[in-house]
């Protein structure tokens, strides 16, 4: 089995909740391929991908789309709302606990995971998922009953919270929350860098979480980083309104933890992500895709543009819905009509993106069938 130091260098991990949405799952697969993600942990998938490890009720999934040399991926256990897999020397647990579950069910699921973790012979354990629990320990303004229970469970299981800052992981019209949480044993926590909530359109109420795993002493750059992969943008097509909205969305959150990045390298990576997201939101990229970037068979420039348009609409809606920004009233005077118009704009953009994905996949599949018919 591969040594953990070799396994986790430049390993990219993504965490997502898809709300049982087909288009959201398609978009996640495309994003993971484009960003060359090695490990994906999913709550509420639309369907179970081939070779994935899933819970008994199929609400929690673990997928390793990129098989690193010498790294095994195998199912270890599965229960109600959780699944566990071995990935190299790392034990990964995916969990989803519905907000509709009563306290006894909530505690029973946590108890099963805790028993599994206690029986693991490795100190290298990663637990990720949507627990629908709120606690100040992972950035919420206050604790919920389930949050207090989960915090006690985390302490008793010997895990650490990896969440940083107070950026919402779930954004709905009714409000925002931080319910998607990442836990790890101390051995794994020491290898984590760049934990962040990504500013990307997901077609789900939940946002992607991403981070890297590598030894803390390693100075090796991420495996997928290449000098030629530095993006460039078409400055002449800059949307200044979208730029202002993207910057406002990025800098908002006066209560964010200013020391959330554990080292200079992680802080630089986080700043680079913010700058990239702002640029993507207000102008298209230019030039060919980097040679090491992958894409799914149905991805197109049209879908890329629709996703960027969706992100811009979300930024405009989010900016004006915030009553305060840095202590200054921003959206407090917004009329109900304006809010409804911005919400409708964002909804229409999401529907356009979702529809385009479905049509493009269908068209690509038909073209593939035609090539089979033509094959002698």
């Amino acid at each position: 089995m591969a040594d953990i130091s070799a396994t986790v260098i430049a390993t990219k991990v993504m965490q997502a909740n898809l709300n049982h949405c087909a288009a959201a799952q398609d978009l996640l697969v495309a994003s993971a391929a484009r960003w060359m993600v090695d490990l994906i942990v999913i709550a509420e998938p639309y369907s179970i991908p081939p070779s994935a490890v899933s819970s008994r009720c199929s609400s929690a999934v673990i997928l390793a789309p990129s098989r690193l040399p010498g790294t095994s991926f195998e199912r270890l256990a599965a229960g109600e709302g959780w699944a566990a897999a071995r990935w190299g020397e790392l034990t990964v647990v995916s969990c989803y606990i519905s907000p509709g579950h009563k306290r006894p069910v909530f505690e029973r699921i946590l108890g099963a995971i805790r028993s599994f973790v206690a029986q693991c012979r490795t100190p290298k354990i990663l637990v990720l998922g949507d627990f629908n629990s709120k606690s100040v320990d992972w950035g919420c303004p206050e604790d919920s009953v389930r949050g207090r229970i989960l915090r006690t469970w985390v302490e008793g299981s010997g895990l650490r919270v990896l969440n940083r800052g107070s950026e919402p992981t779930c954004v709905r019209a009714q409000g925002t929350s931080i319910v998607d949480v990442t836990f790890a044993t101390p051995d794994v926590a020491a290898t984590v860098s760049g934990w962040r909530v990504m500013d990307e359109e997901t077609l789900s109420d939940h946002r992607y979480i991403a981070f890297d795993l590598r030894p803390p002493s390693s100075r090796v750059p991420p495996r997928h980083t290449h000098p030629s992969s530095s993006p460039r943008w078409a400055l002449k097509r800059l949307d200044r309104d979208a730029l202002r909205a993207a910057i406002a969305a990025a800098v908002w959150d006066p209560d964010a933890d200013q020391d959330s990045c554990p080292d200079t390298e992680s802080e630089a990576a986080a700043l680079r992500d913010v700058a990239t997201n702002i640029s993507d939101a207000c102008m298209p990229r230019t030039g060919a895709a980097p040679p090491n970037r992958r894409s799914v068979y149905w991805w197109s420039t049209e879908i890329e543009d629709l996703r960027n348009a969706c992100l811009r609409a979300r930024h405009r809606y989010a900016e004006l819905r915030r009553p305060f920004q840095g202590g200054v009233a921003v959206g407090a005077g917004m009329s109900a009509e304006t809010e409804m118009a911005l919400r409708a704009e964002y909804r229409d953009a999401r529907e356009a993106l979702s529809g385009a994905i479905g049509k493009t996949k269908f068209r690509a599949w038909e073209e593939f069938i035609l090539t089979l018919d033509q094959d002698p």
Side-chain angles (χ1 to χ4, degrees):
M1 186 176 294
D3 179 77
I4 187 66
S5 61
T7 300
V8 300
I9 288 180
T11 296
K12 294 184 176 295
V13 182
M14 278 186 69
Q15 178 178 344
N17 181 314
L18 303 180
N19 280 342
H20 301 294
C21 176
Q25 183 156 321
D26 289 335
L27 194 57
L28 173 65
V29 171
S31 300
R34 191 172 181 223
W35 301 325
M36 303 192 75
V37 173
D38 302 300
L39 183 69
I40 311 173
V41 177
I42 306 171
E44 295 192 282
Y46 175 75
S47 61
I48 306 302
S51 73
V53 173
S54 66
S55 61
R56 290 176 187 169
C57 55
S58 302
S59 64
V61 169
I62 305 169
L63 181 64
S66 173
R67 300 297 176 85
L68 299 180
T71 303
S72 61
F73 179 69
E74 57 182 318
R75 178 183 182 277
L76 291 179
E80 178 185 8
W82 67 279
R86 179 182 290 113
W87 191 61
E89 291 192 354
L90 188 68
T91 295
V92 183
V93 179
S94 173
C95 180
Y96 173 73
I97 306 181
S98 168
H101 283 331
K102 301 298 183 182
R103 178 170 176 171
V105 178
F106 180 73
E107 293 180 331
R108 183 172 70 241
I109 295 174
L110 291 182
I113 299 175
R114 182 173 182 174
S115 297
F116 169 79
V117 169
Q119 294 171 5
C120 287
R121 297 181 179 180
T122 173
K124 304 177 180 69
I125 303 173
L126 191 62
V127 181
L128 316 91
D130 177 0
F131 294 83
N132 280 295
S133 307
K134 302 174 184 178
S135 172
V136 295
D137 280 18
W138 44 89
C140 300
E142 58 185 9
D143 295 342
S144 65
V145 173
R146 285 171 56 146
R148 289 191 289 271
I149 295 173
L150 183 57
R151 180 171 57 191
T152 301
W153 175 86
V154 170
E155 295 170 352
S157 301
L159 301 173
R160 293 183 179 177
V161 180
L162 300 186
N163 290 49
R164 295 291 181 267
S166 55
E167 188 72 17
T169 66
C170 181
V171 181
R172 293 189 172 98
Q174 297 82 359
T176 63
S177 60
I178 304 175
V179 292
D180 303 279
V181 197
T182 313
F183 305 117
T185 51
D187 290 56
V188 176
T191 73
V192 172
S193 65
W195 189 101
R196 61 208 180 273
V197 180
M198 301 185 69
D199 185 22
E200 293 285 342
E201 180 55 50
T202 66
L203 290 177
S204 166
D205 291 338
H206 295 254
R207 297 166 67 183
Y208 299 145
I209 291 173
F211 56 91
D212 296 330
L213 288 171
R214 60 174 175 263
S217 59
S218 173
R219 295 295 180 182
V220 180
R223 177 169 56 90
H224 307 313
T225 297
H226 189 278
S228 64
S229 66
S230 299
R232 294 188 299 172
W233 289 269
L235 188 58
K236 292 182 179 180
R237 298 174 63 184
L238 173 67
D239 183 332
R240 296 188 181 279
D241 290 336
L243 173 63
R244 284 191 288 269
I247 293 175
V251 303
W252 181 77
D253 191 3
D255 298 323
D257 183 1
Q258 299 299 318
D259 299 322
S260 59
C261 295
D263 51 54
T264 304
E265 183 179 354
S266 298
E267 187 171 353
L271 181 60
R272 193 161 51 244
D273 285 340
V274 171
T276 299
N277 290 333
I278 290 175
S279 300
D280 282 338
C282 61
M283 52 187 161
R285 294 195 184 193
T286 185
N292 64 342
R293 177 178 292 177
R294 302 174 295 184
S295 63
V296 292
Y297 68 94
W298 48 265
W299 192 259
S300 67
T301 303
E302 176 194 4
I303 293 178
E304 178 77 25
D305 291 342
L306 287 172
R307 185 179 192 176
N308 289 336
C310 198
L311 187 61
R312 290 194 294 271
R314 192 189 79 191
H315 283 159
R316 285 192 288 269
Y317 178 49
E319 178 190 12
L320 292 180
R321 285 190 73 232
R322 298 185 181 107
F324 291 95
Q325 180 175 294
V328 179
V330 176
M334 180 177 58
S335 66
E337 291 79 8
T338 301
E339 180 176 1
M340 289 179 62
L342 290 173
R343 182 189 303 176
E345 179 188 2
Y346 180 37
R347 182 193 62 236
D348 292 345
R350 284 168 59 109
E351 290 177 354
L353 175 58
S354 179
I357 290 174
K359 290 178 182 178
T360 306
K361 285 186 66 180
F362 180 76
R363 187 164 57 245
W365 177 252
E366 283 191 322
E367 292 173 355
F368 174 69
I369 296 298
L370 287 175
T371 61
L372 293 180
D373 292 339
Q374 297 169 1
D375 193 21

